[in-house]
Structure formats: structure tokens, C-alpha cells
Amino acid sequence: MRLEGKIAVVTGAGKDSRGIGHGIAVALAREGADVAIASHTLANALRVADAVQEMGRRALAIEIDVSQAESVEAGIAEVIEAFGRIDILVNNAGITRDALLVRMREEDWDAVLDVNLKGAFLCSRAVAKAMMKQRSGCIVNITSIMGLTGNAGQANYASAKAGLIGLTKSLARELGSRNIRVNAVAPGWIDTAMTDSLPESVRESILKQIPLGRLGTAEDVAGAVVFLCSDEASYITGQVLTVDGGLVMI
């Protein structure tokens, strides 16, 4: 129960019970946190809220468009009204709109940057106001190894995830004096519904590149998030923790 009494907000609940957002919310609850789940689709947030309540913790499902400032401000205000404070923010919301550069539509570039990067900025800004008053808090941004390496066909996604790393380091410097820590977790290939659709040949090729020889799970990512939110990481800020089975070593 490393997070007993903490109030957490997790964005991007997702439909898949094997998804990263679902795994993070459940792991935080298992460690004692009450969790607000923010999703663009309320039904998805409600599913994750049910899983949190099964852990014996309080849960709040809220519908938020993270790319819109008014929606974010209203959602964060709802969390504070319900729970009284916010101790943890996990910026997990993200989308993909893959295409090679010459075929990528401007609206697909904008959509990915708006959700994946601007969304984290808006949520962090809204939550930071409350955390600064408390003089405590923890923000974890879910980036990706694609933000470290780039990837053909994902210029928008990789740019947004690289931007998240810059945002993480900048906010860590800005907020450290208020006892607010900001870190990032960079997942590699994670076993979710999305990777289920990969052709077997592609899957085998990926596995050959991973030293640990397997895809990660949502629980692998959630474990890293829990650690960064706990007192065990009280002297860690501005860092990027890769959870990729050794695929990317810097």
C-alpha cells in the first residue's frame, strides 16, 4: 500500500482491459490510491472505474477531451471537488494516425500532437495549480521509445512523444522547488489489442530485437508508474524510465 491516501488522475482509459491506462489505474488502486479516470468516452472511463472499485478504492469516471483547455479545467475541478486534492497525474491519453510523411494529412499531424502532447500540457497545467498549493505532487508522462528512436510512418507520433520528454524535463525544473516531481515512462512493444493485429512475421521480427525475448504487458508499465509515484522515488525527477525489455539502450 505504497500510495495509501493518495488521489490519482489517469487520462486515456481505453477500451482494452489489457491496455496501459487500465493497467495503471488498477495498479495505483492496488497500492492504496483513489483514482479518477479521465477518458474521451465516458463508457470507457466507467469500465476502468469499476475495476478500481473492485480493488476496494474510490473511483471517479469523467469525460474529458484533453486537447481542449475548457474540458480539462472542468474535469480537474470535478476531481478536486470530489476528492479534495490531487496527488498524482498520469498523462496516458494518446492516439495514432500513422502514414509516411509525403502521405500524412495535416489534420492527422494536428490531431496526434493535440492529444498526445498538448493534452499532457493542458492536464499538467491544470493539476500543477493544485499541487503547488499543496507543495507536493507527482506527474508521470507516458511517452514511448518512438520518442527516443523515431519510427518510419510515425513522424507525428514520434514527434509528440519526443515533445513529452522535453515537457517532462522542463516541468521537473520548474516545479521541483514546490516538491512536485515530474518523470516519464517510455514503453516499448506492449502486448495489447493493437499488437494482436500485427502479422506473425512482424511479431517474430520484433521479438528477435528484444533482449528479454517477449513483449511487455500493461502491468510492466504500471509497475514503473507506481514506483515513480511512490516515496521510494522521492529523489527522482526529470527522468525517462524505459520499459522495453532492453530494446533501446542509451
Side-chain angles (χ1 to χ4, degrees), residues 98-144:
D98 296 349
L100 294 174
L101 175 65
V102 295
R103 298 176 181 173
M104 185 173 290
R105 301 181 303 170
E106 186 176 350
E107 54 264 38
D108 289 338
W109 172 274
D110 289 343
V112 171
L113 270 291
D114 280 351
V115 173
N116 296 29
L117 182 55
K118 181 182 176 183
F121 154 69
L122 291 175
C123 291
S124 297
R125 185 179 67 176
V127 167
K129 296 173 184 177
M131 289 182 174
M132 289 172 72
K133 292 179 181 178
Q134 300 165 186
R135 300 193 68 84
S136 68
C138 177
I139 298 173
V140 179
N141 296 318
I142 306 302
T143 179
S144 167

Side-chain angles (χ1 to χ4, degrees), residues 120 124 139 141 166-176 180 182:
S124 297
I139 298 173
N141 296 318
L167 178 66
T168 297
K169 294 178 180 293
S170 297
L171 295 187
R173 293 183 182 277
E174 285 188 24
L175 301 175
I180 301 168
V182 187

Side-chain angles (χ1 to χ4, degrees), residues 6 15 35 70 76 80 107 135 149 163 175 196 217 226:
K6 301 292 186 181
K15 299 178 182 178
V35 186
E70 289 185 1
I76 295 303
I80 293 174
E107 54 264 38
R135 300 193 68 84
T149 66
L175 301 175
D196 285 345
T217 65
V226 168

Side-chain angles (χ1 to χ4, degrees), residues 29-101:
R30 186 178 294 116
E31 291 290 340
D34 296 324
V35 186
I37 301 97
S39 176
H40 191 266
T41 304
L42 184 59
N44 292 340
L46 287 168
R47 292 190 194 99
V48 182
D50 288 343
V52 167
Q53 289 173 333
E54 289 176 4
M55 298 289 105
R57 308 307 307 179
R58 293 182 297 168
L60 175 67
I62 52 177
E63 185 173 332
I64 288 182
D65 181 348
V66 297
S67 69
Q68 300 297 318
E70 289 185 1
S71 179
V72 169
E73 294 287 346
I76 295 303
E78 185 177 347
V79 176
I80 293 174
E81 181 178 355
F83 292 130
R85 59 185 290 124
I86 296 174
D87 302 291
I88 296 166
L89 168 66
V90 182
N91 285 310
N92 173 69
I95 61 171
T96 56
R97 297 286 187 274
D98 296 349
L100 294 174
L101 175 65

